[in-house]
Amino acid sequence: MTQSFFADIKPARYEGSDSTNPMAFHHYNPEEIVMGKRMEDHLRFAVAYWHSFAWEGGDPFGGQTFERPWHPQDDMGCAKIKADAAFDMFDILGVPYFCWHDADIRPEGATFADSLRNFEEIIDYFAEKMESRKVALLWGTANMFSHRRWMSGASTNPDPNVFAWSAATVKTCMDATHRLGGQNYVLWGGREGYETLLNTDLTRELDHMGRFLSMVVDYKHKIGFQGTILVEPKPQEPSKHQYDYDAATCIGFLRKYGLEGEVKLNLEQGHAILAGHTFEHEIAVAASEGMLGSIDMNRNDYQSGWDTDQFPNNVPEVALAYYHILQAGGFVTGGTNFDAKLRRQSLDAEDLIASHVGSMDVCARGLKAAAAMIEDGGLDAALAERYGGWDTHAAQAMLDSDLDTIFQTVHSGEITAVPRSGRQEKLENYVNRFV
């Protein structure tokens, strides 16, 4: 590449809320202290390599709309041009992290060995670039859903040869993540599910997926990887019935196979919506079980039934998500990865920068609103009042009692059950004061 893909685009700077510059941060100030910690250290932003650089602008009804200097993505020369553009963008945005799938960063080879050779070459190239930059790897993962070999699943595939290929693929991706200092390793089972039970042994597939994940955990300890293993819930798409439907389903799966102490969740806004939940619900469920790891930040089109992966722009939604993250103690190894892509009509390099700048601002506003609510204490006070009856000696004693004893107390007339208002509207009004 003789000239940067992002030529003439200056690094994004914080200019404050009065600025009208669409390429500047109005709310994201990395150095601003929020609840005793730098904003950058709270949010831990990451750029997703797949949507920002590997995606070509297609949708279910039309093909490529983007024309990039690294197209077609079928040789190592193009892979390095793509990497040059990626690291230029990391510099412009000042993000501390990025994320990748193996298939995003290297071309597919004719054999497994060919693909691995390409992969190791680009990891070497990444390592060289990272030496002189602040950007680090939030997580790596393996794409085991795009190639036709994965059409019937990876770890759940009825063919043991595909299971073996999957295991070998994950090993190489974990090795690369470890080498680059990645803070997490993610597994998303894009094809771990089924289209019909007529050709599916559900019990066997779940057992194989559990065994596969146990192998991943064992290998983490074998190589001394200090990061967190994460699984990512998603319903329906692409498989009709996904085994990793939502946070609660994944938590049940992890407990069944004794992995709840080893694996946490990477939660995505868009996936929560597809599951019929809110993002705050999924985060709250994971946090309540001590399994909140990291998040993929985006949004879905509420009028579409598929995963549109749009950049976030809804501050109230984002604020409630960060409220539960902060209440859970904040990120440890996780962060905020923008698993979001441009609209297929947004063709310019500037669009890619503007989308991230705006989204980082939305998250910053959401974080500050969440912190303000926590510091004000209004929601905590409302919960304490609503559940205050359970803090009495009698209520705690009841939990250690039995049905007969409780029956006698109620039957004697000592207890009356009178409904009390949940005051939802007042609480919604309270939240609106901050967002």
Side-chain angles (χ1 to χ4, degrees):
M1 180 184 290
T2 58
Q3 178 175 278
S4 171
F5 177 66
F6 298 103
D8 302 324
I9 299 179
K10 297 178 180 179
R13 305 296 185 200
Y14 172 70
E15 294 184 3
S17 57
D18 293 333
S19 171
T20 59
N21 180 0
M23 303 297 282
F25 297 121
H26 304 145
H27 301 277
Y28 177 60
N29 178 0
E31 302 302 324
E32 182 176 342
I33 302 300
V34 178
M35 293 180 62
K37 189 159 67 172
R38 295 172 64 250
M39 186 179 287
E40 181 179 84
D41 297 333
H42 271 298
L43 292 166
R44 294 166 62 85
F45 286 134
V47 170
Y49 210 96
W50 51 100
H51 283 328
S52 292
F53 304 104
W55 185 58
E56 298 181 344
D59 68 14
F61 305 99
Q64 179 176 354
T65 60
F66 298 160
E67 295 179 351
R68 307 302 199 203
W70 52 89
H71 291 162
Q73 302 178 67
D74 57 2
D75 63 54
M76 287 304 298
C78 287
K80 291 181 179 179
I81 292 172
K82 181 165 55 174
D84 292 339
F87 279 85
D88 284 346
M89 183 167 127
F90 305 155
D91 290 343
I92 291 170
L93 294 172
V95 291
Y97 298 104
F98 71 109
C99 304
W100 48 253
H101 299 81
D102 56 341
D104 308 326
I105 62 177
R106 57 95 178 114
E108 185 81 12
T111 65
F112 182 90
D114 288 340
S115 293
L116 179 57
R117 190 159 40 248
N118 292 340
F119 182 57
E120 290 177 337
E121 183 177 342
I122 202 67
I123 292 298
D124 288 342
Y125 199 62
F126 279 9
E128 291 175 11
K129 288 182 168 293
M130 291 169 70
E131 285 181 1
S132 60
R133 288 173 164 86
K134 72 172 241 179
V135 73
L137 181 64
L138 186 65
W139 49 260
T141 187
N143 178 326
M144 298 191 294
F145 49 88
S146 294
H147 193 280
R148 68 192 297 269
R149 75 173 65 90
W150 317 118
M151 67 180 187
S152 300
S155 67
T156 61
N157 201 287
D159 184 345
N161 289 342
V162 177
F163 182 102
W165 195 295
S166 305
T169 299
V170 168
K171 177 200 179 297
T172 64
C173 289
M174 291 182 71
D175 287 341
T177 299
H178 185 34
R179 180 190 168 189
L180 294 180
Q183 301 205 4
N184 309 269
Y185 184 82
V186 172
L187 297 105
W188 175 57
R191 302 287 177 185
E192 310 292 38
Y194 63 87
E195 300 297 328
T196 174
L197 281 172
L198 295 175
N199 64 6
T200 302
D201 184 338
L202 187 148
T203 302
R204 182 183 296 229
E205 289 196 359
L206 286 171
D207 284 346
H208 287 177
M209 189 162 74
R211 180 66 191 123
F212 189 94
L213 191 51
S214 294
M215 291 180 184
V216 169
V217 169
D218 290 344
Y219 191 66
K220 165 192 167 171
H221 294 301
K222 179 178 180 179
I223 64 175
F225 178 55
Q226 298 300 308
T228 306
I229 302 298
L230 304 171
V231 294
E232 182 171 333
K234 182 181 181 180
Q236 301 179 63
E237 184 189 271
S239 297
K240 181 179 179 182
H241 296 281
Q242 292 278 142
Y243 295 139
D244 50 5
Y245 187 88
D246 61 4
T249 304
C250 288
I251 290 168
F253 173 85
L254 294 173
R255 291 196 183 282
K256 177 180 178 180
Y257 294 99
L259 296 166
E260 68 273 18
E262 294 279 3
V263 181
K264 296 184 184 297
L265 303 185
N266 183 57
L267 301 170
E268 181 180 316
Q269 161 90 323
H271 295 177
I273 292 168
L274 287 178
H277 305 312
T278 61
F279 199 21
E280 62 171 316
H281 166 86
E282 290 289 87
I283 292 170
V285 168
S288 71
E289 297 291 332
M291 294 189 192
L292 174 61
S294 194
I295 64 170
D296 278 1
M297 181 61 78
N298 57 22
R299 81 181 197 276
N300 267 3
D301 187 326
Y302 289 101
Q303 294 173 307
S304 297
W306 53 288
D307 200 0
T308 55
D309 286 326
Q310 294 169 251
F311 282 90
N313 68 357
N314 188 321
V315 174
E317 283 185 343
V318 170
L320 290 172
Y322 283 118
Y323 179 86
H324 289 283
I325 291 170
L326 291 176
Q327 287 284 64
F331 295 123
V332 180
T333 60
T336 303
N337 174 49
F338 289 112
D339 189 0
K341 58 193 177 190
L342 294 175
R343 299 304 86 195
R344 66 199 304 265
Q345 299 177 55
S346 299
L347 305 179
D348 299 339
E350 191 174 67
D351 296 327
L352 195 51
I353 302 299
S355 61
H356 284 83
V357 166
S359 297
M360 292 163 77
D361 258 357
V362 166
C363 291
R365 291 180 66 188
L367 177 78
K368 289 189 284 188
M373 285 189 282
I374 290 173
E375 290 170 341
D376 181 79
L379 292 180
D380 281 341
L383 286 179
E385 180 184 357
R386 190 174 191 209
Y387 291 91
W390 285 101
D391 295 330
T392 66
H393 175 76
Q396 290 300 306
M398 181 172 63
L399 293 177
D400 293 326
S401 184
D402 56 71
L403 293 183
D404 280 333
T405 302
I406 295 172
F407 168 80
Q408 293 299 330
T409 303
V410 174
H411 188 261
S412 69
E414 295 179 36
I415 289 179
T416 57
V418 180
R420 294 184 300 147
S421 175
R423 300 174 179 173
Q424 178 175 333
E425 291 75 15
K426 290 180 68 175
L427 295 175
E428 290 171 345
N429 292 347
Y430 171 85
V431 170
N432 286 336
R433 285 171 41 202
F434 296 88
V435 298

